[in-house]
Amino acid sequence: MMGKTKLCNGCQRDKYIYKNVTIDGVRCRFCKECALNPKVNITLTPTQIKKKSDKKVIEDRLYSILRKKHMEEFPLCQAKLPVCTNVAVDIHHTAKRGVNTNNVSTWISVCRACHNWIHFVDPAQARELGLLK
């Protein structure tokens, strides 16, 4: 059973629609004759999928603002590990990111050397020190 007839953008008649396409951001419908006719120019444009959702964009903006304030408040490394270079350049999240991304209570300012040590050199000892959960 076929659906209702609709206006074909190719021949401008009410017909059963064979192909729905987007041309330059405009939705177009074509009957079978027009869709298969080489004289009718149907160029498909890929539909653009957002790289980030609107919610994620807002979260990222908030994160940038909070990160800047935190780095101004704590400009020195808070981990103070043996490899420390003393100048904080990163925010370390002691709890996993995701739900806790903008939870400032789980953040510490760390230098790059300490951050690498926490994640790559000795994560087990970092957990003992309370730097990872």
Side-chain angles (χ1 to χ4, degrees):
M1 182 175 156
M2 298 187 85
K4 295 180 183 179
T5 59
K6 295 185 179 173
L7 184 66
C8 169
N9 291 98
C11 60
Q12 300 299 319
R13 290 186 279 171
D14 277 336
K15 290 194 168 188
Y16 293 110
I17 300 303
Y18 178 76
K19 188 163 210 115
N20 284 310
V21 295
T22 302
I23 300 174
D24 297 327
V26 178
R27 197 79 174 132
C28 297
R29 299 180 179 109
F30 293 99
C31 64
K32 189 170 186 174
E33 295 165 10
C34 293
L36 300 177
N37 185 349
K39 292 180 181 176
V40 177
N41 186 15
I42 300 175
T43 55
L44 297 174
T45 56
T47 54
Q48 189 74 23
I49 296 175
K50 289 182 180 181
K51 293 181 180 171
K52 288 184 183 181
S53 68
D54 294 338
K55 182 179 176 181
K56 180 66 174 157
V57 169
I58 292 169
E59 284 178 2
D60 287 350
R61 285 183 186 156
L62 177 62
Y63 178 80
S64 294
I65 292 167
L66 292 173
R67 182 189 187 284
K68 184 177 178 182
K69 285 181 183 177
H70 192 273
M71 292 299 287
E72 287 172 355
E73 189 176 340
F74 302 100
L76 300 177
C77 182
Q78 294 176 297
K80 301 290 185 204
L81 298 169
V83 294
C84 190
T85 59
N86 209 25
V87 179
V89 293
D90 291 335
I91 295 290
H92 171 65
H93 299 80
T94 57
K96 288 186 178 180
R97 293 181 73 163
V99 178
N100 295 313
T101 300
N102 290 338
N103 184 357
V104 182
S105 66
T106 64
W107 293 5
I108 59 170
S109 296
V110 292
C111 64
R112 172 55 36 194
C114 288
H115 209 184
N116 286 338
W117 186 90
I118 292 167
H119 286 289
F120 305 116
V121 177
D122 201 348
Q125 190 174 356
R127 278 189 178 79
E128 290 174 13
L129 296 172
L131 299 173
L132 281 176
K133 291 183 182 175

